[in-house]
Amino acid sequence: MKAIPTLLAVLAFAIAPATSAASDVPQAFAAKFVQTRTLPGFDKPLVSHGEMRFSADGGFHWQIDKPYRYVFEMHGDAAREELPDGTKRTLQPDQTPWLKAVQQMFVGALSGNQGQLGQYFDVDIKPLADGRHVTLVPRPGAMAKVVKRIEVTETAPGQPRHMVLDEVSGAHMDIRFTPDPAVSGD
């Protein structure tokens, strides 16, 4: 279950395509990020810096560079991790039930399938002057046992600016994205 915070970030990134017309979704998006994670029982938040990339052909890449190195990649049915100690492992959806659920949502989101996301979350979208704000509240089930709520502010569909994720455990994740215009086409 160590990868769940990263997979929840993948899921939150995936909501933009799921709540947009497929023609509105960028073919590629890349950004630097600063992630601040607070955990129950810890006095100080963990602040990490990294980059993420997505393309329809290349899949999803999430990399933390500081204060440690961690890589998560998902492409088609394959997902892999590189842990801070250098260990590399392939995650199998059949052996990792939470990966299969996130993978189904991610694939549905990439295809522009709002119904796929609606199976797991109540979705609320509010337009903003310079984008929109999307709130996801899990429906009863496995996701509701982990996630309390996800909020994403986008500058455009598929281009997140800010994400907030509250977990049932009391953990809180705040991610700020700085898009890379060379990749995301801004």
Side-chain angles (χ1 to χ4, degrees), residues 58-133:
F60 184 83
H61 176 90
W62 181 270
Q63 180 174 319
I64 296 174
D65 295 315
K66 183 178 155 191
Y68 55 86
R69 180 171 165 77
Y70 170 82
V71 177
F72 174 82
E73 294 179 323
M74 182 184 283
H75 188 266
D77 289 341
R80 74 168 197 88
E81 284 184 305
E82 182 179 329
L83 302 174
D85 67 1
T87 302
K88 294 179 182 180
R89 65 182 185 167
T90 300
L91 304 173
Q92 300 296 329
D94 293 339
Q95 298 169 355
T96 317
W98 50 265
L99 175 61
K100 189 166 190 160
V102 171
Q103 196 170 50
Q104 288 172 351
M105 288 182 272
F106 188 66
V107 169
L110 297 179
S111 67
N113 185 343
Q114 290 185 28
Q116 187 83 19
L117 193 61
Q119 290 177 356
Y120 300 94
F121 294 95
D122 290 325
V123 181
D124 181 43
I125 303 171
K126 291 191 168 76
L128 303 172
D130 62 344
R132 64 188 188 161
H133 185 85

Side-chain angles (χ1 to χ4, degrees), residues 2 13 22-23 29 37 40 43 55 61 68 74 82 99 101 113 118 121 129 132 139 150 152 154 156 158-159 183:
K2 291 179 183 179
F13 176 72
S23 62
F29 181 78
R37 184 161 169 77
D43 294 336
S55 72
H61 176 90
Y68 55 86
M74 182 184 283
E82 182 179 329
L99 175 61
N113 185 343
F121 294 95
R132 64 188 188 161
R139 294 178 182 246
I150 299 172
V152 178
E154 304 171 307
Q159 299 181 13
V183 176

Side-chain angles (χ1 to χ4, degrees), residues 8-83:
L8 294 175
V10 170
L11 168 63
F13 176 72
I15 67 173
T19 57
S20 304
S23 62
D24 293 341
V25 179
Q27 292 300 306
F29 181 78
K32 300 281 186 192
F33 66 82
V34 176
Q35 174 180 297
T36 304
R37 184 161 169 77
T38 56
L39 298 166
F42 288 85
D43 294 336
K44 293 183 180 181
L46 172 64
V47 178
S48 54
H49 301 259
E51 63 183 60
M52 58 83 60
R53 294 186 305 271
F54 163 78
S55 72
D57 295 334
F60 184 83
H61 176 90
W62 181 270
Q63 180 174 319
I64 296 174
D65 295 315
K66 183 178 155 191
Y68 55 86
R69 180 171 165 77
Y70 170 82
V71 177
F72 174 82
E73 294 179 323
M74 182 184 283
H75 188 266
D77 289 341
R80 74 168 197 88
E81 284 184 305
E82 182 179 329
L83 302 174

